[in-house]
Amino acid sequence: MNSLYKKKILICRPQDKGGEMVKALAERGAVPTIFATSTMEILPIDATIERHLRRLATTQWIIFSSTYGVEAFCQLAETHSITSEQLITHALGIVGTKSAQLLQQKFPQWQVTLTKTSLQELLDTIATYQMPSFPPEHKACVWHPTSRESLEKIAVTIPEKLELIRVPLYTGKPVPPKSQAELDAIRNAQYDAIILGSPSAYDCLVE
């Protein structure tokens, strides 16, 4: 029996990010609705980001846990003249295939070292991953572009063998509903499930 049949599901993601999910759910008999609650806004470069940038050259890993993180990093790379030749010296960790695909479009020479399904799984795997050029007792430094909301609200357990640098490059910006009628329809609908793409999506939905 298909447990998704006729289930009404609200997907709080922009259309360009949630299209494939809508298609997959509809193919399984669900009734998905896209409701974009937030979009990405690049944060200005402040003293904290500048300090983290100075550490970038000496880190062993750069990891990405969302397509927004990839997009924000690509903009940072462009404004600060960070080249593929510089990046390919770092091991690359990715959460999700979409992030990997987007990054390969931007930096085709940079080969993915690890792909996992969650940030915690990726960190745990990196902690046990033996880099050929470092001794087993070496503590790897990991540079992670993320959002301000994720930094505040998504807790991770940092393995002993890792130093994690979480760099807030972007924030979620609320997207107003297209019309009052759309907002009323969302409020009045009895959804069986709500899918949130990020902490900022939740904040903006509540707002």
Side-chain angles (χ1 to χ4, degrees):
M1 183 177 178
N2 186 354
S3 60
L4 289 175
Y5 184 66
K6 290 189 177 181
K7 297 292 186 181
K8 294 196 296 183
I9 301 174
L10 183 66
I11 303 170
C12 297
R13 305 191 73 181
Q15 184 67 46
D16 62 331
K17 302 290 185 183
E20 289 187 16
M21 184 178 293
V22 167
K23 181 181 178 182
L25 289 169
E27 288 175 348
R28 297 190 62 180
V31 184
T33 299
I34 282 278
F35 183 53
T37 57
S38 66
T39 188
M40 180 183 73
E41 183 176 80
I42 299 295
L43 292 170
I45 303 298
D46 59 12
T48 298
I49 296 177
E50 288 285 3
R51 185 177 71 253
H52 291 327
L53 272 171
R54 289 193 290 272
R55 293 287 311 278
L56 184 60
T58 59
T59 61
Q60 289 77 52
W61 287 81
I62 302 176
I63 65 173
F64 298 90
S65 55
S66 71
T67 55
Y68 281 151
V70 173
E71 292 170 6
F73 181 79
C74 288
Q75 290 193 38
L76 183 73
E78 184 175 349
T79 57
H80 285 72
S81 301
I82 301 171
T83 66
S84 292
E85 287 71 23
Q86 293 171 298
L87 293 174
I88 60 176
T89 63
H90 298 79
L92 173 59
I94 297 281
V95 174
T97 56
K98 285 189 176 182
S99 297
Q101 291 168 359
L102 180 59
L103 196 69
Q104 290 295 286
Q105 291 174 11
K106 302 289 186 179
F107 300 105
Q109 295 173 298
W110 198 9
Q111 297 301 307
V112 177
T113 309
L114 289 173
T115 303
K116 296 297 176 180
T117 58
S118 72
L119 177 57
Q120 188 63 62
E121 183 186 12
L122 180 60
L123 293 174
D124 291 342
T125 306
I126 290 173
T128 61
Y129 192 88
Q130 181 58 49
M131 297 287 287
S133 55
F134 294 102
E137 67 275 10
H138 179 79
K139 190 171 186 176
C141 185
V142 180
W143 209 87
H144 177 214
T146 188
S147 70
R148 184 167 58 195
E149 291 79 10
S150 294
L151 188 63
E152 295 170 351
K153 297 180 179 180
I154 296 183
V156 293
T157 301
I158 304 173
E160 288 186 9
K161 289 188 176 182
L162 294 188
E163 177 189 1
L164 178 62
I165 302 174
R166 300 177 75 183
V167 189
L169 294 183
Y170 65 97
T171 186
K173 180 180 179 181
V175 175
K178 296 176 183 177
S179 65
Q180 186 61 42
E182 180 191 30
L183 184 58
D184 290 342
I186 296 296
R187 283 173 171 164
N188 295 330
Q190 298 295 316
Y191 290 103
D192 297 291
I194 298 175
I195 297 176
L196 299 161
S198 66
S200 58
Y202 171 79
D203 291 342
C204 296
L205 177 64
V206 172
E207 184 179 330

